[in-house]
Structures are given as C-alpha cells and as structure tokens.
Amino acid sequence: MNMDVTYKTFTCGEKSEQATIVAFENQDMQTWLTIVVQTEHPIVIIDQHDQPIGTLTLEFIAKRLEESSSEYILPKHELLPVQCVKKSDPFPVEQRMLSVVIDGDRIVGVITQRTLQTVRDQDGATLSLIFDSAYEGIVIIDRNQTITSMNQSYRDFLGGLKERDVIGRDVTSVIDNTELHQVVKTGIPERGKVQTIQGQKMVVHRLPIWQEGEIVGAVGMLIFEGMTELHRILQYEATSKAKAVKTEKQGAVQTFETMIGKSPSIQRVKSLARKASRTKASVVIQGESGTGKELFAQGIHHMSSRSEGPFVAINCSAFPENLLESELFGYEGGAFTDARKGGRRGKFEQAHGGTLFLDEVSEMSSSMQAKILRILETKEIVRIGSEQVIHSDFRIVAATNKDLKALVQEGQFRQDLFYRLHVIRLTVPPLRERKEDIPKLLGFHMERLAQEYEVEKKSN
C-alpha cells in the first residue's frame, strides 16, 4: 500500500518561510550572538556576490561560546552549511540543513525543520481523517502480525470495538479466519478473496507492505459490506446494462463518462456541466458548429433528476417559422391544410418530465422568441387550432454558435428571453484548442468505421 504523503506535491516556494539576509563579515562571536538574538527569522548569510554561504543558530553560537571566548572571530568555513533549492522545485520530504529558496538570483525564503514538521503534522492529520472516513474496512499489521492500525469502519463491523481493543494485538485473535499474517510471510498479494468474518462472507484484499526491499507488514481491506452487498451491486450493474441497451436501440443518450477527451479545457467544461445537471436552471451551451453541444445537453439530462424522462431535441434553424411553431406547440387535427388527423403533440408536450434541447436557438424570429418566453414563464401550451391549455413540466437546455449577449445588444435577440435561458452558460472549446484529444478521437472513429464497414481495425 503506497502511503505517499501529500506534501510531496507542494513546491518549495509555496511552503517557504521568511528569512533575514546578512552579509558575511569577520566578526567575533559576541557580535554574531547579538545579530542572531535580535533577528526574528532564520538567518541566511551571503558573500560579496550575494550568494548564500551559510547560516547561524542560537544553539550553535551557544555551543561555540562554551568552547571559546566571545572575542573569537568566526571564520567563513565554520558557518552552518545551507543548500539552495529553486522556488519551483518539489517540496523536500526531509532535509539535514537549512534550504534557501531562490527565484532566479533572488532569495525568496527558507525551509526549516519546523516547516517540515508542520507539514508532516498537517499531512498526518489529513491521512488520519481519510483513513477513518473510508467506507471500506482497513487494517494494517506489522511484520510480527501485530495490528498497528484499524479504521473505524472495520472496528464497527467487528462490533464497535475501541482502538485500544485492537491495537497491539495479534491479528488472528481479532479477525476471524484471517490470512493477512500469511501475506507477511509470502509477500504475495491476494485480491478479491472471500473470507467469512463473524458468520458473514466478505470480499477482501490482502496486500504486503514493502520498504527498501523488505516486507514490513501488510494491509487488509474489506471492499464491500459483504457478499450480499456485492450481489446487489452486480444486480444493479446488470440492470444498468440492460437499460443502456434499451436506450441505445431508442437512440443512445450520451454521458460525460463516454465523451472522448481528457484535455484540461474539455475537463473544465465537463466539471461545470456536471454541476449544472444537479440544478433545475436553464443552460445555454455556446460553441462553434461541430463541437458537440448536443452531446453536452444529453450528458446534462442523463445526470439530472429528469434522467428517467424524455430527452427531446429540435434544431430551430431547420424549420421555417410556421412549421417551427407547429413542431414546438403541436396542433389539433384539421388546424391547417395537411394537418394530421387526430393532431400531434409538440416538442414541449413530448418533453414533459424531461429535457427539451433547443439547438441553434439564436435563429428564431422575434415573434417566436416572444411565444417561447411566454411558455417558459407559464409552462402552459396551447396547440395550434385548440383553446385547451396543456401544462408541461420540462427543463430547457439551449445551444447556439453565436454570442447571444452580443445579439441582445444588437437588438436581434430578446433580452428577457436571454435572461430566462442564460442562467448557466457552458462554452465548448473547438478541437483546435484541445489538440491533445485528437489521437483519442481518431482512434475512436477508426474503430467505429471498421465495425460499421466490417473491415479489419486499423492502427493509428
């Protein structure tokens, strides 16, 4: 089990302390003592070229004063040594001398033993919190099969044992049918094993802990609450797959997990989209044509509380105004020439309980914008040729390849509708701004085309 601590990820500049810089002179010990006593911060002594050459501490001076007189002139070579590190260097795990942090030619701070200990203490508290907050039960033993740690989840499973009831005891006396001590002897990890503990079948991992080429202990983990929990998870997975197959036949709904792209820019949009999906607010997705705006709309729907409802999409630029109105609001039979007998439900009705995706929303006429605004305010629809009011509960996700705010300023888009739609905005970056995603997209489409045309898969 790799217990790497988080302070390794800091840079020297982030955790450095202030320092007092003193130019070296051939001064007696009493003078140096006065300087050190009057200085609040650690001392960095520099030479005539402004380069760090050493440091002094009160403890060092006190010891030297015991060995010599206060008039003793301290030579340069007797200064306590220092090491120079760059501001951007990784934060050290340990050090035996004062670290002087430099940025170019400038000293920006120091890293002391006190800094290291503070970071270790903070990190230890974090690891302890994570350890005890883990859903899985975790136990750690040393090379003598003695328990050194057991988290709250494991102790709760064993009947609410206290820490004092388990620490220092042989693992075989605490955990039924354990084989953890055998892992210490063999060094062979065991994953996904079934173990009966207190009459209940559990799924466990047993992993050796290595240090400098030697086994120093082992860690055991309860991965599930029990076999019953595992069966429940497997059943849920099977049900989810069946639903996915059904969805695919009906027209697959995209999720953020299935979207291709790991670049920082697309990950930021995904993160915001996930947050947006947990709200009821309207969303405007802005981006150039072909950037996948509808995929994000589907992803928002899939993660929202409306995921069981329909996802209904319409491209507002694909219809002339009169046809767009009938598509959105629906119509009664005989409402106009060629109207279908019995009438037809509009997109607003079809989206009841789900999400309505209005693509290219900026292409709607002013009169259509006014009608859309009215429906968004009341959630009430009247089909063409009817007087009956129909209530529909839907969420709007709109998309555009234009700047709606600029269109408002130019008088081409209603300001009140803009504020109705523009509660949350996502901007999807074009592929030229995330070129690192091109290989993944290329590989995906090569595999898709190979399957579609039944040819041998090509390598990219």
Side-chain angles (χ1 to χ4, degrees), residues 139-174:
V139 59
I140 300 174
I141 65 171
D142 61 20
R143 69 183 76 201
N144 300 316
Q145 69 190 47
T146 300
I147 296 175
T148 59
S149 299
M150 181 181 283
N151 72 348
Q152 187 69 50
S153 296
Y154 214 136
R155 298 201 308 271
D156 287 345
F157 177 76
L158 296 176
L161 296 177
K162 301 295 184 183
E163 198 171 29
R164 62 175 179 270
D165 298 327
V166 297
I167 303 302
R169 292 180 59 185
D170 190 292
V171 67
T172 58
S173 68
V174 177

Coordinates of all heavy atoms in Angstrom, one line a residue, residues 139-174:
V139 N -7.3 -2.5 7.8 CA -6.4 -2.9 9.0 C -5.0 -3.1 8.5 O -4.7 -3.5 7.4 CB -6.9 -4.3 9.6 CG1 -6.9 -5.4 8.6 CG2 -6.1 -4.6 10.8
I140 N -4.0 -2.6 9.3 CA -2.6 -2.7 9.0 C -1.9 -3.5 10.1 O -2.1 -3.2 11.3 CB -2.0 -1.3 8.8 CG1 -2.7 -0.5 7.7 CG2 -0.5 -1.4 8.5 CD1 -2.3 0.9 7.5
I141 N -1.1 -4.4 9.7 CA -0.3 -5.2 10.7 C 1.2 -5.0 10.4 O 1.6 -4.7 9.2 CB -0.6 -6.7 10.7 CG1 -0.3 -7.3 9.3 CG2 -2.1 -6.9 11.0 CD1 -0.4 -8.9 9.3
D142 N 2.1 -5.2 11.4 CA 3.5 -5.2 11.1 C 4.0 -6.6 10.8 O 3.3 -7.5 10.7 CB 4.2 -4.6 12.4 CG 4.0 -5.4 13.6 OD1 3.7 -6.6 13.5 OD2 4.2 -4.8 14.7
R143 N 5.3 -6.7 10.7 CA 6.0 -8.0 10.3 C 5.8 -9.1 11.4 O 5.9 -10.2 11.1 CB 7.4 -7.7 10.0 CG 8.3 -7.4 11.3 CD 9.7 -7.2 10.9 NE 9.9 -5.8 10.3 CZ 10.9 -5.5 9.5 NH1 11.8 -6.4 9.2 NH2 11.0 -4.3 9.0
N144 N 5.4 -8.7 12.6 CA 5.1 -9.6 13.6 C 3.6 -10.0 13.7 O 3.2 -10.5 14.8 CB 5.6 -9.1 15.0 CG 7.1 -8.8 15.0 OD1 7.9 -9.6 14.5 ND2 7.5 -7.7 15.5
Q145 N 2.9 -9.7 12.7 CA 1.4 -9.9 12.6 C 0.6 -9.2 13.7 O -0.5 -9.6 14.0 CB 1.0 -11.4 12.5 CG 1.2 -12.2 13.7 CD 1.1 -13.7 13.4 OE1 1.6 -14.2 12.4 NE2 0.3 -14.4 14.2
T146 N 1.2 -8.1 14.3 CA 0.5 -7.3 15.3 C -0.2 -6.2 14.6 O 0.3 -5.5 13.7 CB 1.5 -6.8 16.3 OG1 2.2 -7.9 16.9 CG2 0.8 -5.9 17.3
I147 N -1.4 -5.9 15.0 CA -2.2 -4.8 14.5 C -1.6 -3.5 14.9 O -1.5 -3.2 16.1 CB -3.7 -4.9 14.9 CG1 -4.3 -6.2 14.4 CG2 -4.5 -3.7 14.4 CD1 -5.7 -6.4 14.8
T148 N -1.3 -2.6 13.9 CA -0.8 -1.3 14.2 C -1.9 -0.2 13.9 O -1.8 0.9 14.5 CB 0.4 -1.0 13.4 OG1 0.1 -1.1 12.0 CG2 1.5 -1.9 13.7
S149 N -2.8 -0.5 13.1 CA -3.9 0.4 12.8 C -5.2 -0.3 12.3 O -5.0 -1.3 11.6 CB -3.5 1.4 11.6 OG -2.4 2.2 12.0
M150 N -6.3 0.2 12.7 CA -7.6 -0.4 12.2 C -8.6 0.8 12.2 O -8.8 1.4 13.2 CB -8.1 -1.5 13.0 CG -9.4 -2.1 12.5 SD -10.1 -3.5 13.6 CE -9.0 -4.8 13.1
N151 N -9.2 1.0 11.0 CA -10.0 2.2 10.9 C -11.4 2.0 11.6 O -11.8 0.8 11.9 CB -10.2 2.7 9.5 CG -11.0 1.8 8.6 OD1 -11.3 0.7 9.0 ND2 -11.3 2.3 7.4
Q152 N -12.2 3.0 11.6 CA -13.5 3.0 12.3 C -14.4 2.0 11.6 O -15.2 1.3 12.3 CB -14.1 4.4 12.3 CG -15.4 4.5 13.2 CD -15.1 4.4 14.7 OE1 -14.2 5.0 15.2 NE2 -15.9 3.5 15.3
S153 N -14.4 2.0 10.3 CA -15.3 1.1 9.6 C -15.1 -0.3 9.9 O -16.1 -1.1 10.1 CB -15.2 1.3 8.0 OG -15.5 2.6 7.7
Y154 N -13.8 -0.8 10.0 CA -13.5 -2.1 10.3 C -13.9 -2.4 11.8 O -14.5 -3.5 12.1 CB -12.0 -2.4 10.1 CG -11.7 -3.8 9.7 CD1 -10.8 -4.1 8.7 CD2 -12.4 -4.9 10.2 CE1 -10.5 -5.3 8.2 CE2 -12.1 -6.2 9.8 CZ -11.2 -6.4 8.8 OH -10.9 -7.7 8.4
R155 N -13.6 -1.5 12.7 CA -14.0 -1.7 14.1 C -15.5 -1.8 14.3 O -16.0 -2.6 15.1 CB -13.3 -0.6 15.0 CG -11.8 -0.6 14.9 CD -11.2 0.1 16.1 NE -11.8 1.4 16.3 CZ -11.3 2.5 15.8 NH1 -10.3 2.5 15.0 NH2 -11.9 3.7 16.1
D156 N -16.2 -1.0 13.5 CA -17.7 -1.0 13.6 C -18.2 -2.3 13.2 O -19.1 -2.9 13.8 CB -18.3 0.1 12.8 CG -18.1 1.5 13.4 OD1 -17.8 1.6 14.6 OD2 -18.3 2.5 12.7
F157 N -17.6 -2.9 12.1 CA -18.1 -4.2 11.6 C -17.8 -5.3 12.6 O -18.6 -6.2 12.7 CB -17.4 -4.5 10.3 CG -17.7 -5.9 9.8 CD1 -18.9 -6.1 9.1 CD2 -16.8 -7.0 9.9 CE1 -19.3 -7.4 8.7 CE2 -17.1 -8.2 9.4 CZ -18.4 -8.4 8.8
L158 N -16.7 -5.2 13.4 CA -16.4 -6.2 14.4 C -17.1 -5.9 15.7 O -16.8 -6.6 16.7 CB -14.9 -6.2 14.6 CG -14.0 -6.6 13.4 CD1 -12.5 -6.4 13.8 CD2 -14.3 -8.0 13.0
G159 N -18.1 -5.1 15.7 CA -19.0 -4.9 16.8 C -18.7 -3.7 17.6 O -19.0 -3.6 18.8
G160 N -18.1 -2.7 16.9 CA -17.9 -1.4 17.6 C -16.7 -1.4 18.6 O -16.8 -0.7 19.6
L161 N -15.7 -2.2 18.2 CA -14.5 -2.2 19.1 C -13.8 -0.9 19.2 O -13.9 -0.1 18.2 CB -13.5 -3.2 18.6 CG -14.0 -4.7 18.5 CD1 -12.9 -5.6 17.9 CD2 -14.3 -5.2 19.9
K162 N -13.2 -0.6 20.3 CA -12.5 0.6 20.5 C -11.0 0.4 20.0 O -10.6 -0.7 19.8 CB -12.4 1.0 22.0 CG -13.8 1.3 22.6 CD -14.5 2.5 22.0 CE -15.8 2.7 22.7 NZ -16.5 3.8 22.1
E163 N -10.4 1.5 19.7 CA -9.0 1.4 19.2 C -8.1 0.6 20.2 O -7.3 -0.2 19.8 CB -8.4 2.8 18.9 CG -7.2 2.8 18.0 CD -6.9 4.2 17.6 OE1 -7.1 5.2 18.4 OE2 -6.3 4.4 16.5
R164 N -8.3 0.9 21.5 CA -7.5 0.2 22.5 C -7.7 -1.3 22.5 O -6.9 -2.1 23.0 CB -7.7 0.8 23.8 CG -9.2 0.7 24.3 CD -9.3 1.2 25.8 NE -10.7 1.0 26.2 CZ -11.7 2.0 26.1 NH1 -11.3 3.1 25.5 NH2 -12.9 1.8 26.5
D165 N -8.9 -1.7 22.0 CA -9.2 -3.2 22.0 C -8.5 -3.9 20.9 O -8.4 -5.2 20.9 CB -10.7 -3.4 21.8 CG -11.5 -2.8 22.9 OD1 -11.0 -2.7 24.0 OD2 -12.7 -2.3 22.6
V166 N -7.9 -3.2 19.9 CA -7.3 -3.9 18.7 C -5.8 -3.6 18.5 O -5.1 -4.5 18.1 CB -8.1 -3.6 17.4 CG1 -9.5 -4.1 17.5 CG2 -8.1 -2.1 17.1
I167 N -5.4 -2.4 18.8 CA -4.0 -2.0 18.6 C -3.1 -2.8 19.5 O -3.3 -2.9 20.7 CB -3.8 -0.5 18.8 CG1 -4.7 0.3 17.9 CG2 -2.3 -0.1 18.5 CD1 -4.6 0.0 16.4
G168 N -2.0 -3.4 18.9 CA -1.1 -4.2 19.6 C -1.4 -5.7 19.8 O -0.6 -6.4 20.3
R169 N -2.6 -6.1 19.3 CA -3.0 -7.5 19.4 C -2.6 -8.2 18.1 O -2.6 -7.6 17.1 CB -4.5 -7.6 19.7 CG -4.9 -7.1 21.1 CD -6.4 -7.2 21.3 NE -6.9 -8.6 21.2 CZ -8.1 -9.0 21.2 NH1 -9.1 -8.0 21.4 NH2 -8.5 -10.2 21.1
D170 N -2.5 -9.5 18.3 CA -2.2 -10.4 17.1 C -3.5 -10.4 16.3 O -4.6 -10.5 16.7 CB -1.9 -11.8 17.6 CG -1.4 -12.7 16.5 OD1 -2.3 -13.0 15.6 OD2 -0.3 -13.1 16.5
V171 N -3.3 -10.2 14.9 CA -4.4 -10.1 14.0 C -5.3 -11.3 14.1 O -6.5 -11.2 13.9 CB -3.9 -9.8 12.6 CG1 -3.2 -11.0 12.0 CG2 -5.1 -9.4 11.7
T172 N -4.7 -12.5 14.3 CA -5.5 -13.7 14.3 C -6.5 -13.8 15.5 O -7.5 -14.5 15.4 CB -4.6 -15.0 14.3 OG1 -3.8 -14.9 15.4 CG2 -3.8 -15.0 13.0
S173 N -6.2 -13.0 16.5 CA -7.1 -13.0 17.7 C -8.2 -12.0 17.6 O -9.1 -12.0 18.4 CB -6.2 -12.8 19.0 OG -5.7 -11.4 19.0
V174 N -8.1 -11.2 16.6 CA -9.1 -10.1 16.4 C -10.1 -10.4 15.2 O -11.3 -10.2 15.3 CB -8.5 -8.8 16.2 CG1 -9.5 -7.7 16.0 CG2 -7.6 -8.4 17.5

